[in-house]
């Protein structure tokens, strides 16, 4: 019996690695000699750094950077086991939870801290980057990030501009003469699971501006700023990001990473599965176990379990999914390759108690045991 476990974290409860351990214990109670391959995964959002660092035996790095309002904060990123790949969640330095509700203002917030994380990783020898760009507090098109990396931006009078989304409309000149020289040696993969263009009705400002503190007038100004920035970038670098799917992610950071750093936008789970060599490890396995905290119709929209199931189905391997909760519309995931779905909750329990680590581990282990008990009964019956 060979089982591959590739399960996303249960947010607020168990990490991907902890879930893998609990599942393994349950399976081993039935198949004592089973070969179990545990692959910590995530979809590019929260928990990605933890999953990737643990999955590759890498290390965590804590750095003091500037937060969205240029206040000093501590942020963490990871360096994978290869020693040359940095994995960064932009939200740890430039995320919405870092800004109190009453201070949220995308005219002022900046991605400067995200750039400082990249700079620190470059100084530590990294040249490959995976950047998760969900959960931003910003709408500056990535300008703050580039300022941290040595870029300067000037208005029509030659005055150097400051921080925040409000400077996008004023830019007339981009100066990269003091940028980090190592940037030309770096490759950037951007974990992006939305397809919003840079500006327009479905662009960064109109879709996400309100939750970041923008009023209707500010949204219009930010949208005009993104349009102006895209024109300056096209004129300077001969690249048109205006309608690029994903360019509007994280307040235009997606487009900024493409235009300034030749970044490649890809679904987060595709990047992660490629980096952990999932496809190579899944060949000749008997079962794949995946899952996430809640399985519902959104799971088919680029989430980790479906990314796992698609590769498993390439080799006709049965896929079992576990979740804290399973919605009525979760059956849509069957069409995407997940064969069977189980909730780990065995009896009525409050959400607070269900999310306690000791309870979640117990439920996961017990459900794995019962699932593989049934598999063994069927195996014995049909082998006769």
């Amino acid at each position: 019996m060979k089982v591959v476990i590739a399960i996303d974290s249960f947010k607020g409860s168990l990490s991907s690695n902890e879930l893998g351990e609990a599942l393994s214990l349950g399976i081993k109670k039935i198949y004592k000699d089973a070969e179990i391959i545990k692959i910590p995964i995530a979809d590019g959002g929260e928990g990605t750094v933890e999953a990737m660092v643990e999955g590759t035996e890498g290390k965590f790095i804590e750095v003091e950077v500037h937060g969205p309002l240029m206040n000093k904060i501590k942020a963490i990123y990871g360096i994978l086991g290869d020693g040359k790949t940095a994995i960064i969640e932009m939200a740890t330095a430039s995320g919405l939870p870092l800004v109190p509700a009453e201070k949220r203002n995308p005219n002022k917030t900046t991605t400067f801290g995200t750039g400082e994380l990249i700079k620190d990783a470059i100084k530590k020898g990294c040249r490959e980057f995976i950047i998760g760009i969900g959960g931003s507090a910003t709408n500056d098109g990535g300008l703050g990030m580039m300022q941290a990396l040595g870029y300067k931006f000037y208005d029509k009078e030659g005055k150097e501009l400051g921080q925040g989304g409000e400077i996008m409309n004023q830019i007339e000149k981009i100066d990269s003469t003091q940028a980090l020289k190592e940037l030309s040696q770096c490759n950037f993969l951007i974990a992006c699971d939305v397809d919003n263009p840079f500006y327009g009705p479905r662009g960064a400002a109109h879709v996400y501006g309100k939750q970041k503190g923008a009023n209707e007038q500010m949204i219009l100004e930010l949208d005009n700023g993104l349009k102006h920035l895209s024109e300056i970038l096209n004129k300077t670098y001969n690249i048109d990001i205006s309608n690029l799917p994903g360019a509007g992610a994280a307040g235009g950071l997606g487009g900024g990473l493409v235009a300034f750093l030749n970044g490649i936008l890809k679904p987060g789970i595709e990047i992660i599965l490629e980096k952990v060599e999932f496809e190579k490890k899944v060949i000749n396995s008997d079962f794949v176990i995946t899952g996430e905290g809640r399985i519902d119709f959104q799971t088919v929209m680029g989430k980790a379990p479906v990314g796992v199931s698609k590769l498993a189905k390439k080799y006709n391997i049965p896929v079992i999914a576990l979740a804290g909760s399973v919605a009525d519309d979760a059956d849509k995931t069957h069409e995407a390759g997940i064969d069977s779905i189980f909730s780990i909750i065995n009896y009525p329990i409050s959400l607070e108690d269900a999310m306690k680590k000791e309870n979640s581990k117990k439920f996961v282990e017990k459900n794995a045991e019962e699932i593989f008990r049934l598999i063994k009964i069927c195996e014995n019956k049909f082998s006769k």
Side-chain angles (χ1 to χ4, degrees):
M1 175 67 69
K2 178 183 175 183
V3 181
V4 172
I5 300 171
I7 186 167
D8 200 354
S9 64
F10 287 9
K11 305 295 187 289
S13 181
L14 297 177
S15 70
S16 178
N17 198 50
E18 289 169 330
L19 284 161
E21 290 295 330
L23 286 163
S24 181
L25 287 171
I27 295 166
K28 290 275 192 178
K29 286 182 177 178
I30 306 303
Y31 287 91
K32 292 180 173 57
D33 299 322
E35 178 189 356
I36 298 177
I37 300 174
K38 299 185 289 291
I39 308 174
I41 61 160
D43 60 12
E46 180 187 348
T48 298
V49 169
E50 181 180 13
M52 292 296 289
V53 169
E54 290 179 347
T56 63
E57 297 183 348
K59 59 184 177 180
F60 297 101
I61 307 292
E62 184 178 70
V63 189
E64 186 175 72
V65 299
H66 290 86
L69 293 173
M70 292 300 287
N71 54 311
K72 290 288 187 74
I73 62 169
K74 292 290 181 74
I76 293 174
Y77 71 94
I79 296 179
L80 304 191
D82 62 10
K84 65 178 183 179
T85 303
I87 181 154
I88 295 170
E89 292 175 30
M90 74 84 62
T92 193
S94 313
L96 194 59
L98 298 173
V99 185
E102 68 276 9
K103 293 185 178 180
R104 290 176 183 174
N105 181 347
N107 265 337
K108 304 296 183 184
T109 49
T110 174
T111 52
F112 196 90
T114 298
E116 289 177 302
L117 292 178
I118 294 171
K119 183 177 180 179
D120 188 79
I122 287 174
K123 295 302 183 186
K124 286 183 169 62
C126 295
R127 297 295 181 266
E128 303 292 326
F129 287 83
I130 301 169
I131 314 285
I133 58 173
S136 75
T138 56
N139 198 120
D140 71 352
L143 296 180
M145 171 185 68
M146 299 313 299
Q147 287 170 323
L149 294 170
Y151 279 63
K152 296 183 183 298
F153 302 100
Y154 297 92
D155 65 13
K156 61 183 178 183
E157 296 172 352
K159 179 184 175 183
E160 185 178 353
L161 295 166
Q163 302 290 334
E166 64 188 3
I167 74 168
M168 294 187 294
N169 249 329
Q170 305 170 55
I171 292 177
E172 293 300 327
K173 179 186 173 186
I174 299 172
D175 178 6
S176 61
T177 56
Q178 296 182 51
L180 286 181
K181 302 305 180 188
E182 296 93 337
L183 285 172
S184 62
Q185 305 162 14
C186 297
N187 298 305
F188 292 86
L189 279 174
I190 308 138
C192 176
D193 293 313
V194 300
D195 61 359
N196 304 85
F198 204 54
Y199 62 86
R202 292 190 61 252
H206 280 288
V207 176
Y208 304 109
K210 187 175 181 181
Q211 71 191 45
K212 299 174 186 182
N215 57 31
E216 291 302 319
Q217 181 59 35
M218 196 186 301
I219 287 171
L220 293 175
E221 292 169 0
L222 288 167
D223 191 61
N224 286 333
L226 288 162
K227 183 178 180 182
H228 176 73
L229 176 58
S230 74
E231 291 168 354
I232 294 294
L233 289 169
N234 199 0
K235 186 170 80 172
T236 306
Y237 299 114
N238 194 30
I239 181 169
D240 183 6
I241 58 170
S242 57
N243 290 305
L244 178 69
L253 180 61
L257 280 159
V258 171
F260 287 112
L261 299 174
N262 297 311
I264 298 172
L265 294 161
K266 289 183 72 173
I269 187 58
E270 289 185 16
I271 294 173
I272 305 309
L273 292 177
E274 183 179 314
K275 283 293 179 183
V276 298
E277 299 183 318
F278 175 81
E279 187 168 358
K280 183 194 298 184
K281 294 171 182 174
V282 81
I283 295 172
N284 298 322
S285 62
D286 296 294
F287 292 95
V288 169
I289 302 181
T290 188
E292 60 182 343
R294 176 178 170 82
I295 293 181
D296 56 23
F297 75 97
Q298 295 184 71
T299 302
V300 301
M301 300 177 183
K303 295 290 190 74
V306 166
V308 167
S309 69
K310 283 180 179 177
L311 280 178
K313 285 301 159 188
K314 185 175 176 181
Y315 300 96
N316 296 314
I317 299 162
V319 179
I320 300 167
L322 279 81
S325 67
V326 178
D328 289 341
D329 54 17
D331 56 358
K332 295 183 185 301
T333 61
H334 294 314
E335 299 166 16
I338 294 177
D339 296 293
S340 190
I341 308 167
F342 297 88
S343 168
I344 65 164
I345 306 301
N346 293 341
Y347 49 78
I349 188 172
S350 70
L351 179 61
E352 182 182 1
D353 284 338
M355 291 182 70
K356 288 179 179 175
K357 281 185 181 289
E358 62 271 22
N359 289 335
S360 292
K361 284 180 181 178
K362 178 178 67 177
F363 288 151
V364 169
E365 182 179 335
K366 184 60 177 172
N367 276 273
E369 178 187 349
E370 294 302 321
I371 289 167
F372 279 82
R373 187 181 298 278
L374 178 60
I375 287 170
K376 190 160 194 176
I377 289 170
C378 294
E379 182 182 50
N380 291 338
K381 179 175 175 62
F382 295 110
S383 64
K384 290 180 180 177

